[in-house]
């Protein structure tokens, strides 16, 4: 059997779901009842016909061997990727060998997979031969320089205006923020968008959401105002900053930059994957751990409002690939480059640290990026325990603990973590920041696959 023929676990399949509703609907289709004509190949293609509300069953196929993550096709009208039928098919494939036997692909599935392979070859050929002849960004470097200067001038004007808004807020008193409401900050955010500073716009919107947001909101508002003031001043004085910190400031205000770091080839363990969404955009965060480089990296993928991002990597598998870093002090974000093999199973886990060391890592990271919300950390030998109305991860070998963030306490993943631990120490990967710890993936104390908590 080839490596592609290794079947995933149910948790790895469900980690691909674009939202909770898809996860629930897909789970209902993970049984043999609605399926017919199912099959799979050692090359990584899974297919089947799913009975729906109409007379014609939905044709569903998945390419689990695609090196950039699973690819899906389904004749259903859903705009979600993967749809509930693809999730159900993968769950059936993962859980019941006899329900999805090895077989020869039907014509419709073979045509789809052959088309994908052909397009991949054309893309590789075009990338190999077309980069030097591209006229994209280097045709007129002088024009590009002038555009960059004009944008910097607009951002400077926006940052200066934002400083005045902050000064007005503090002069009039934070209590007045309740009366002015959200409209003032939405208008300020629109002005920052006009100034081509989306990072400043996003932070301005966050300020508008804080007044009357619960006990202690004036303190949170003052903290966010201070961070925004620091970012404004850093932009206005960016020429005096060290190069790496200046690159971080440019990224924080919203200036794009290419991933220009040298490619790092490794076997990257997919640590976690989860989505955040607003009215404009869905952002998918995929955490990777280099099993040879001992490095944690972040992939970001985006989808328009209402659509899931295309990149999807199963949690707990490894991907042999190259990644390149984006500029910035302490920057963990990378771009995914050439991939050499499809995701494969592994027993690898990232090394863990104590709860006290995790908190120290966040403090150290703030020196490189004062606007950092959290850092990726793997906790070794921690036990989830209740703490009044909240929960915390208590270190089994030290008298220390990390509180869970409010968002983590409201996720179903908390109960999966509690069930996995059963009062015993576990290994937990997540994000550690000033609001606490958000668990994303866990491993049992002993052999066992990763369990997604997202």
């Amino acid at each position: 059997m080839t490596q592609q023929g290794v079947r995933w676990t149910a948790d790895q399949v469900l980690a691909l779901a674009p939202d909770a509703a898809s996860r629930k609907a897909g789970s209902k289709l993970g049984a043999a009842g609605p399926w017919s004509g199912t099959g799979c190949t050692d090359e990584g293609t899974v297919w089947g016909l799913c009975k729906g509300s109409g007379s014609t069953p939905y044709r569903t196929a998945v390419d689990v061997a695609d090196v950039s993550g699973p690819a899906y096709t389904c004749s259903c009208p859903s705009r979600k990727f993967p749809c509930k039928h693809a999730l159900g098919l993968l769950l059936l494939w993962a859980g019941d060998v006899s329900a999805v036997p090895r077989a020869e692909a039907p014509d419709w599935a073979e045509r789809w997979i052959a088309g994908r392979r052909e397009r991949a070859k054309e893309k590789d050929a075009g990338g190999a031969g077309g980069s030097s002849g591209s006229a994209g960004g280097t045709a007129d470097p002088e024009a590009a320089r002038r555009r960059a200067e004009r944008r910097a001038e607009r951002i400077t004007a926006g940052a200066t205006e934002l400083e005045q808004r902050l000064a007005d807020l503090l002069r009039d008193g934070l209590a007045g923020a309740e009366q002015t409401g959200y409209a003032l900050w939405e208008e300020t955010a629109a002005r920052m968008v006009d100034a081509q500073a989306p990072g400043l716009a996003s932070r301005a919107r966050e300020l508008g959401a804080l007044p009357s947001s619960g006990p202690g909101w004036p303190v949170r508002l003052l903290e966010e105002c201070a961070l925004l003031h620091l970012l404004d001043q850093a932009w206005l004085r960016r020429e005096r900053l060290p190069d790496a910190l200046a690159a971080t400031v440019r990224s924080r205000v919203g200036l794009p930059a290419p991933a220009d770091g040298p490619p790092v080839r490794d076997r990257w363990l997919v640590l976690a994957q989860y989505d955040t969404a607003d009215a404009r955009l869905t952002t998918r965060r995929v955490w990777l751990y280099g099993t040879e480089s001992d490095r944690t990296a972040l992939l970001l993928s985006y989808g328009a409002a209402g659509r899931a991002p295309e990149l999807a990597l199963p949690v707990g598998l490894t991907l042999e690939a190259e990644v390149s870093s984006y500029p910035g002090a302490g920057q963990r974000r990378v771009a995914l480059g050439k991939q050499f093999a499809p995701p494969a199973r592994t027993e690898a886990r990232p090394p863990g640290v104590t709860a006290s060391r995790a908190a120290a890592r966040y403090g150290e990271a703030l020196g490189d990026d004062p606007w950092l919300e959290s850092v990726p950390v793997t906790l070794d030998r921690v036990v989830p325990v209740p703490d009044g109305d909240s929960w915390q991860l208590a270190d089994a070998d030290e008298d220390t603990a990390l509180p869970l963030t409010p968002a983590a306490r409201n996720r179903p993943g908390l109960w999966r973590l509690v069930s996995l631990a059963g009062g015993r120490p576990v290994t937990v990967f997540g994000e550690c920041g000033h609001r606490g710890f958000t668990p994303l993936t866990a491993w049992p104390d002993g052999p066992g696959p990763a369990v997604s908590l997202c």
Side-chain angles (χ1 to χ4, degrees):
M1 183 190 303
T2 65
Q3 183 63 54
Q4 291 94 323
V6 175
R7 303 198 182 205
W8 302 346
T9 65
D11 280 336
Q12 288 166 342
V13 173
L14 291 175
L16 302 174
D19 51 41
S22 298
R23 188 179 297 112
K24 182 178 180 180
S27 297
K28 293 180 179 179
L29 294 174
W35 292 95
S36 62
T38 56
C40 66
T41 67
D42 281 343
E43 288 70 37
T45 306
V46 185
W47 64 86
L49 304 176
C50 186
K51 180 176 176 55
S53 56
S55 58
T56 304
Y58 296 122
R59 292 178 170 182
T60 307
V62 183
D63 178 11
V64 296
D66 190 285
V67 291
S68 60
Y72 319 92
T73 183
C74 186
S75 58
C76 76
S78 175
R79 298 178 62 188
K80 295 181 179 181
F81 295 95
C83 67
K84 63 181 181 180
H85 305 102
L87 289 170
L89 177 61
L90 286 177
L91 286 171
L92 186 65
W93 169 73
D96 189 346
V97 174
S98 62
V100 187
R102 283 173 175 77
E104 185 176 342
D107 290 344
W108 62 269
E110 185 61 39
R111 286 194 299 270
W112 175 70
I113 198 65
R116 284 190 52 77
R117 301 283 191 261
E118 185 62 31
R119 287 191 294 272
K121 291 179 181 178
E122 293 174 355
K123 182 178 179 180
D124 290 343
S131 58
S132 62
S134 172
T138 59
D140 190 348
E142 180 60 25
R145 184 189 64 80
R146 290 195 298 268
R147 286 194 298 270
E149 287 180 350
R150 288 194 295 269
R151 181 169 185 179
E153 290 171 358
R154 284 192 286 269
I155 295 174
T156 296
T160 302
E161 179 181 345
L162 189 53
E163 282 292 275
Q164 185 59 54
R165 293 284 177 99
L166 293 174
D168 292 343
L169 172 65
L170 296 179
R171 185 185 63 249
D172 297 337
L174 296 182
E178 281 188 297
Q179 282 70 48
T180 56
Y182 188 76
L184 173 64
W185 292 106
E186 183 60 37
E187 176 198 349
T188 303
R191 297 279 292 172
M192 296 305 103
V193 171
D194 292 341
Q196 294 184 285
L200 297 181
S202 176
R203 288 185 171 271
R205 291 192 186 93
E206 291 174 3
L207 290 183
L210 287 175
S212 304
S213 61
W217 71 261
V219 174
R220 294 194 297 274
L221 179 59
L222 186 60
E223 290 172 345
E224 293 302 321
C225 285
L227 285 172
L228 185 50
H229 169 67
L230 181 64
L231 182 56
D232 282 339
Q233 292 299 316
W235 170 263
L236 296 174
R237 293 167 170 78
R238 61 193 180 280
E239 293 84 0
R240 308 179 197 175
L241 300 177
D243 290 344
L245 184 56
T248 298
V249 170
R250 288 193 292 271
S251 173
R252 288 296 181 183
V253 301
L255 276 177
D260 56 3
V264 177
R265 180 172 177 172
D266 206 335
R267 294 185 182 275
W268 298 95
L269 171 63
V270 184
L271 289 173
Q273 173 182 290
Y274 68 94
D275 294 350
T276 56
D278 57 28
R280 301 169 179 80
L281 195 68
T282 298
T283 302
R284 174 163 294 166
R285 299 167 67 87
V286 182
W287 284 109
L288 305 174
Y289 171 72
T291 57
E292 298 174 12
S293 62
D294 189 28
R295 171 184 176 185
T296 306
L298 175 65
L299 288 174
L300 293 181
S301 181
Y302 302 96
R307 291 185 64 88
E310 291 187 4
L311 179 65
L313 297 175
V315 173
L317 301 188
T318 55
L319 178 69
E320 186 175 358
E322 291 179 343
V323 302
S324 298
S325 298
Y326 284 86
Q331 176 67 263
R332 294 184 182 271
R333 186 186 172 193
V334 297
L336 185 61
K338 185 176 180 181
Q339 297 116 62
F340 303 96
R345 280 192 185 179
T346 181
E347 297 298 323
R349 299 182 185 184
V353 299
T354 62
S356 57
R357 181 59 193 145
R361 280 191 180 179
Y362 177 58
E364 294 163 359
L366 289 175
D368 290 328
D369 184 353
W371 306 276
L372 192 64
E373 289 285 330
S374 60
V375 293
V377 173
T378 301
L379 298 176
D380 188 31
R381 292 182 50 76
V382 291
V383 182
V385 295
D387 179 26
D389 294 334
S390 182
W391 284 79
Q392 60 183 4
L393 294 178
D395 198 303
D397 302 315
E398 291 185 352
D399 188 20
T400 56
L402 288 175
L404 297 191
T405 59
R409 298 197 298 266
N410 296 323
R411 291 179 177 175
L414 170 60
W415 302 111
R416 289 201 294 273
L417 175 60
V418 172
S419 175
L420 177 70
R424 298 182 298 275
V426 290
T427 300
V428 183
F429 169 78
E431 296 171 347
C432 182
H434 62 95
R435 293 185 178 89
F437 188 87
T438 301
L440 301 175
T441 306
W443 294 264
D445 185 20
V451 176
S452 175
L453 308 175
C454 301

